[in-house]
């Protein structure tokens, strides 16, 4: 006989409902700590740009800025702190997936089991996406739909390029693990259709790039569609992380080396 203290047993239906509610809460919390918050911030930033005096192309969206000008060691400490704390949501995702019993990030295909596969496909994807992305950015800037993106404005010190590379890798890991691997898994578990999941992931990716302008929004939404389809085909975020990291490494370090030296690269 069941004791009074133990309470009524849960029915299978209520257990499933609680599980779905827990998954929704976890997903919202992960997004609120990472790219969902970035999307809100980007929207506010874009509204500010639209309501500011002057055209969008005359304004600048600055990435990888100095945190302590003229104090290089303090600046380096801030840069490393920012990179490390940005990766905390990825650690949370790894914990949630480990608790779920799917082997942590291995369950998303982010491990060292197939380095050749990840790097080769990532390099090809980076070349295709990077070239198209640059062309779209220049066209959107010329049309007045985009801000001038300044990928870096760090001081010319010894750690400048290593920090830019670390920042590029951090961006890639956070975005692909959360907006592709984790989000697709959770929305699929919650019963959303494949097309709805693809749209949600792509719109989220575009939204947190809105601070760059309409070109940043649309270009990254298109990139999101491609990345979701490839993830479904390959079953791994590893190639996507590699591609994204290569794209950002070229963008950040290329700007650092070429800004002001070539006429086709917009600067602010």
């Amino acid at each position: 006989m069941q004791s009074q203290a133990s309470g009524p047993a849960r029915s299978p239906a209520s257990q499933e409902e609680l599980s779905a509610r827990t998954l929704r809460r976890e997903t919202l919390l992960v997004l609120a700590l990472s790219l969902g918050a970035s999307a809100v911030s980007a929207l506010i930033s874009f509204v500010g740009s639209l309501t500011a005096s002057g055209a969008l192309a005359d304004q600048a969206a600055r990435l990888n800025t100095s945190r302590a000008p003229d104090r290089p060691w303090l600046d380096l400490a801030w840069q490393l702190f920012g990179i490390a704390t940005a990766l905390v949501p990825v650690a949370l995702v790894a914990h949630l997936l480990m608790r779920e019993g799917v082997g942590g990030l291995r369950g998303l295909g982010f491990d060292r089991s197939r380095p050749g596969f990840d790097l080769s496909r990532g390099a090809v994807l980076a070349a295709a996406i990077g070239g198209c992305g640059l062309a779209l950015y220049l066209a959107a800037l010329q049309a007045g739909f985009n801000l001038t993106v300044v990928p870096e404005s760090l001081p010319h010190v010894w750690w400048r390029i290593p920090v830019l590379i670390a920042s590029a890798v951090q961006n890639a890991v956070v975005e692909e693990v959360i907006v592709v691997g984790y989000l697709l898994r959770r929305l699929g578990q919650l019963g959303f259709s494949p097309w709805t999941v693809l749209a949600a992931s792509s719109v989220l990716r575009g939204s947190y790039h809105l601070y760059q302008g309409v070109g940043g929004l649309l270009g990254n939404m298109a990139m999101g569609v491609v990345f979701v389809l490839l993830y479904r085909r390959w079953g791994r975020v590893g190639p996507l992380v590699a591609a994204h990291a290569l794209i950002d490494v070229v963008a950040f370090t290329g700007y650092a080396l070429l800004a002001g030296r070539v006429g086709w690269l917009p600067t602010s």
Side-chain angles (χ1 to χ4, degrees):
M1 176 181 293
Q2 180 178 308
S3 68
Q4 295 292 329
S6 64
R10 291 187 179 274
S11 67
S14 64
Q15 289 177 352
E16 290 176 5
E17 181 183 355
L18 177 62
S19 176
R21 186 162 59 244
T22 299
L23 291 178
R24 283 194 295 269
R25 288 175 177 172
E26 286 184 356
T27 304
L28 290 174
L29 286 171
V30 168
L31 293 178
L33 291 171
S34 57
L35 299 171
S38 297
V40 176
S41 174
L43 175 61
I44 296 171
S45 177
F46 184 59
V47 171
S49 298
L50 285 177
T51 55
S53 58
L56 286 179
D58 296 329
Q59 303 176 50
R62 302 183 183 277
L63 291 68
N64 299 302
T65 58
S66 176
R67 299 287 300 274
D70 303 320
R71 303 182 68 183
W73 285 103
L74 182 61
D75 200 352
L76 174 60
W78 276 117
Q79 299 296 333
L80 296 178
F81 173 77
I83 291 169
T85 53
L87 290 168
V88 172
V90 176
L92 175 59
V93 166
H95 166 74
L96 295 173
L97 294 177
M98 188 68 71
R99 187 186 63 180
E100 191 179 337
V102 296
L105 297 182
R106 278 199 307 275
L108 306 180
F110 187 51
D111 54 25
R112 295 177 292 178
S113 64
R114 304 181 67 185
F117 180 93
D118 294 344
L119 291 175
S120 62
R121 281 158 180 74
V124 173
L125 184 58
I129 295 289
C132 294
L134 177 59
L136 178 60
Y137 162 65
L138 294 175
L141 187 65
Q142 185 67 29
F145 297 144
N146 226 70
L147 286 76
T148 299
V149 178
V150 180
E152 71 86 29
S153 55
L154 296 176
H156 292 229
V157 291
W158 65 268
W159 49 260
R160 182 188 189 193
I161 298 300
V163 161
L164 290 175
I165 294 173
S167 177
V169 173
Q170 171 251 298
N171 288 343
V173 172
V174 172
E175 293 189 36
E176 305 316 324
V177 166
I178 293 177
V179 82
V180 178
Y182 178 74
L183 189 60
L184 263 64
R185 180 176 181 83
R186 284 293 183 255
L187 294 184
Q189 289 172 318
L190 290 169
F192 289 92
S193 72
W195 289 109
T196 301
V197 173
L198 183 148
S201 176
S202 303
V203 169
L204 175 59
R205 185 189 294 270
S207 66
Y208 58 76
H209 288 94
L210 185 58
Y211 68 92
Q212 299 176 8
V214 177
L217 170 70
L218 297 179
N220 281 280
M221 283 179 61
M223 175 178 169
V225 171
V226 173
F227 274 31
V228 167
L229 294 177
L230 290 177
Y231 175 67
R232 287 174 174 168
R233 179 181 180 85
W234 294 333
R236 297 182 59 79
V237 298
L240 310 183
V241 171
H244 193 148
L246 287 171
I247 291 169
D248 281 6
V249 166
V250 171
F252 296 168
T253 61
Y255 188 89
L257 298 173
L258 297 178
R261 295 182 173 86
V262 294
W264 56 266
L265 184 62
T267 59
S268 176

